[in-house]
Amino acid sequence: MAKISRSRFSEAVIAQDDDCDYQESGWVACIIDGRAYLARYSHCSCYGTESALAGGGVNDSGGAMLTMDWEGTPGELLDMARRKADPNMPDRTSIEADHDHDHLMKVYEQVIAQLA
């Protein structure tokens, strides 16, 4: 992935769900330059999601390289959402014991609504 600015990242987000509290954790799905990405994140309220995915302390001037859990095509993302796949092991169905499973399932619902 090329460097991306905070504003461009915000425009690319197609689904996101998190705790909406001081110590947020959640999942985000985005499409950038025709590629689909899924990422889980955790941050305090002093950082936004993009900063958390780039290791914190990111500013708009230079953009950031984001750390993503999964990358593929939008069609592959839709397929994963329908199968409720684990992004770290796409052939496996995500289970409730997985990290932030509930947030991932809500992101998958949004992905299906956006891409189906």
Side-chain angles (χ1 to χ4, degrees):
M1 168 184 286
K3 285 189 175 184
I4 186 168
S5 69
R6 180 172 286 130
S7 60
R8 187 161 178 234
F9 173 75
S10 295
E11 292 168 2
V13 171
I14 62 166
Q16 185 171 5
D17 193 72
D18 61 38
D19 295 326
C20 296
D21 60 11
Y22 180 75
Q23 290 290 348
E24 290 184 307
S25 65
W27 282 90
V28 63
C30 54
I31 297 177
I32 302 167
D33 296 332
R35 296 293 290 169
Y37 300 90
L38 266 175
R40 74 183 150 184
Y41 59 91
S42 180
H43 62 82
C44 68
S45 63
C46 57
Y47 290 120
T49 303
E50 186 228 15
S51 296
L53 293 173
V58 175
N59 61 44
D60 278 327
S61 60
M65 295 292 288
L66 306 181
T67 301
M68 299 297 200
D69 290 82
W70 178 89
E71 175 186 354
T73 67
E76 290 169 330
L77 176 59
L78 179 58
D79 177 64
M80 284 182 46
R82 287 179 172 152
R83 291 185 297 107
K84 297 179 170 54
D86 178 342
N88 297 299
M89 293 181 277
D91 293 334
R92 174 185 168 272
T93 300
S94 181
I95 59 173
E96 287 187 34
D98 291 340
H99 178 79
D100 276 341
H101 173 79
D102 56 334
H103 297 308
L104 178 61
M105 293 303 108
K106 289 178 182 173
V107 164
Y108 277 163
E109 290 172 11
Q110 295 171 50
V111 165
I112 291 169
Q114 288 286 326
L115 299 179

